[in-house]
Amino acid sequence: YIAYKESQNFVCMEIHRAKILLYLKVDPSTIQLAENHRDVTNIGHFGTGNLEIFVRTGEDVESAKEYIQMAFNNIGGN
């Protein structure tokens, strides 16, 4: 997996053949989960964060940008 960090990790990526999984430091209970989002708070996984986003298309990348920014803004938070 690949992690991006400022003072701490805020997003990690698992690269698969048909998709990229983003793990973001965003509390899933504070957002409306979309079809390609999953709360992984109580699920073991590699990486940082409690929000998993499946990225399969360019449109998925565009919609993930908002959550990547949220995770970046959460550095030093929960």
Side-chain angles (χ1 to χ4, degrees):
Y1 81 100
I2 300 167
Y4 291 92
K5 114 184 226 180
E6 180 66 24
S7 60
Q8 60 186 240
N9 290 358
F10 63 96
V11 60
C12 297
M13 293 188 301
E14 280 184 31
I15 301 171
H16 298 266
R17 211 173 259 212
K19 66 185 172 207
I20 296 172
L21 298 177
L22 300 177
Y23 294 99
L24 300 160
K25 189 175 179 178
V26 173
D27 181 354
S29 68
T30 64
I31 63 166
Q32 178 72 34
L33 294 177
E35 185 178 310
N36 66 330
H37 296 171
R38 183 167 71 141
D39 180 348
V40 292
T41 301
N42 297 311
I43 300 171
H45 63 88
F46 292 110
T48 297
N50 297 330
L51 176 65
E52 178 184 79
I53 298 179
F54 295 73
V55 176
R56 294 185 180 104
T57 67
E59 190 174 290
D60 290 344
V61 171
E62 288 302 314
S63 68
K65 287 180 182 180
E66 172 186 357
Y67 301 100
I68 294 168
Q69 185 65 52
M70 286 172 123
F72 181 77
N73 293 340
N74 198 32
I75 292 173
N78 299 343

